Amino acid sequence: MERVKLMIVEDNAELRRMLGDYFEMREDISVVGTASNGVEALKRIDEVNPDVMLLDMIMPQMDGFELLTRLRQKKSEERPEVIALTALCRDDFISRTIELGVRYYMVKPFDFELLHQRVMETAGMRKSTPEIGATVQGTRAKSIDERIANMFLTIGMPAHIKGYQFLREAVKVVMEQPDMINRITKELYPGIAHRFNTTSSKVERAIRHAIEVAWGRGRIEVINQVFGSNVCTLENKPTNGEFIALVADKLSLERSALA
């Protein structure tokens, strides 16, 4: 299997070294370059042509936002997919990085194994080359993943918590099997638990926590804007099933409109 080419752009020298050492030990990843700021990174990108870039957002000389803006000027095949790394979990930061094309926004300190998973998922978005006959399905899966990620981050649900992953899987399952929403406890949770090697009860709790985090940030106007109507209030937090159904229905309608 071809190794994913990874570039690490991180201001903190110790963290940059730790990330480099960790990913060099992975058989599926090759660290092709590192940089301590955006200026260095911009010079090296064309030399090493990375598939994925881990990008610290707060750096001297040129920060992550400016680097992302510069990357947008390149052709899509000439720029890497980006995972943002930052100690700041501000709503305006998250929204801005999404607008600039970041795939994931991970808050420090993060779990290295989860970061590795995100790198591989992100590389798959860039490198996926479906066989003839599977093109529509591959394109659709990519579009759904992107739209779910954008929706969750926009409403204030951080990507680094477990419930985010579980919710993403739940939404995709319900989009393909709408009647699954009526079998959440018996089939949906157990299926997700099996995939992530955990338990149904942990899946249920993590999803509930993710929804509570989003509601706790009080961005109800943004949430209602995303769903296109006044479906939510601060006092009226949806259940897990209601939220999954709401997101799945919204994305299914959008997909039908584009079909």
Side-chain angles (χ1 to χ4, degrees):
M1 181 181 69
E2 185 178 355
R3 301 175 79 182
V4 173
K5 294 187 292 183
L6 179 68
M7 185 171 183
I8 302 168
V9 184
E10 168 60 53
D11 175 41
N12 185 297
E14 179 62 18
L15 179 55
R16 188 169 66 247
R17 182 192 63 77
M18 290 173 62
L19 287 167
D21 290 346
Y22 174 79
F23 283 110
E24 282 291 4
M25 293 188 296
R26 312 296 304 207
E27 296 181 354
D28 49 6
I29 291 178
S30 174
V31 178
V32 295
T34 63
S36 61
N37 59 65
V39 174
E40 292 178 12
L42 203 56
K43 291 178 181 177
R44 296 221 59 196
I45 287 173
D46 292 336
E47 298 174 5
V48 299
N49 189 29
D51 299 312
V52 180
M53 175 187 292
L54 301 181
L55 178 60
D56 183 15
M57 299 308 297
I58 307 300
M59 300 179 293
Q61 298 188 52
M62 182 190 292
D63 65 16
F65 295 108
E66 178 62 23
L67 178 56
L68 288 170
T69 301
R70 300 284 187 93
L71 289 177
R72 297 276 284 185
Q73 299 170 8
K74 292 178 173 289
K75 296 178 181 179
S76 58
E77 64 270 17
E78 295 177 351
R79 60 178 184 255
E81 301 290 353
V82 179
I83 298 175
L85 306 176
T86 178
L88 299 176
C89 190
R90 285 173 38 179
D91 294 340
D92 55 338
F93 274 34
I94 295 173
S95 299
R96 190 175 171 195
T97 56
I98 292 172
E99 292 172 0
L100 290 171
V102 163
R103 293 292 187 182
Y104 288 106
Y105 186 101
M106 298 192 67
V107 179
K108 302 174 183 176
F110 43 77
D111 180 87
F112 275 45
E113 289 188 8
L114 178 57
L115 179 58
H116 172 251
Q117 180 181 331
R118 291 286 179 260
V119 169
M120 298 308 296
E121 290 174 356
T122 303
M125 294 176 186
R126 174 184 172 90
K127 288 188 169 185
S128 59
T129 53
E131 297 176 0
I132 296 174
T135 303
V136 174
Q137 182 177 359
T139 302
R140 176 183 295 175
K142 177 180 178 182
S143 175
I144 290 171
D145 280 335
E146 290 177 351
R147 294 198 65 81
I148 291 174
N150 287 346
M151 181 182 291
F152 284 179
L153 291 175
T154 298
I155 67 176
M157 187 178 295
H160 67 285
I161 59 178
K162 280 288 186 183
Y164 176 102
Q165 302 175 61
F166 299 156
L167 265 171
R168 185 180 59 181
E169 292 303 313
V171 168
K172 289 195 292 185
V173 169
V174 172
M175 286 182 69
E176 298 304 322
Q177 304 176 58
D179 61 333
M180 186 66 76
I181 198 66
N182 299 314
R183 304 193 301 275
I184 290 181
T185 303
K186 291 185 177 180
E187 295 186 35
L188 184 61
Y189 289 160
I192 296 172
H194 178 74
R195 176 167 184 178
F196 287 90
N197 193 29
T198 184
T199 65
S200 295
S201 60
K202 288 183 179 179
V203 170
E204 186 276 331
R205 287 197 300 270
I207 288 177
R208 177 157 31 91
H209 172 68
I211 295 171
E212 289 172 351
V213 169
W215 254 250
R217 293 183 173 183
R219 305 181 68 193
I220 298 303
E221 290 184 5
V222 175
I223 293 172
N224 284 324
Q225 184 178 1
V226 166
F227 292 120
S229 59
N230 294 325
V231 296
C232 307
T233 66
L234 276 175
E235 297 76 24
N236 184 29
K237 183 182 66 181
T239 64
N240 290 4
E242 289 171 341
F243 185 79
I244 293 167
L246 193 63
V247 176
D249 186 55
K250 169 71 173 177
L251 295 178
S252 294
L253 289 172
E254 291 179 355
R255 185 172 66 181
S256 298
L258 294 173

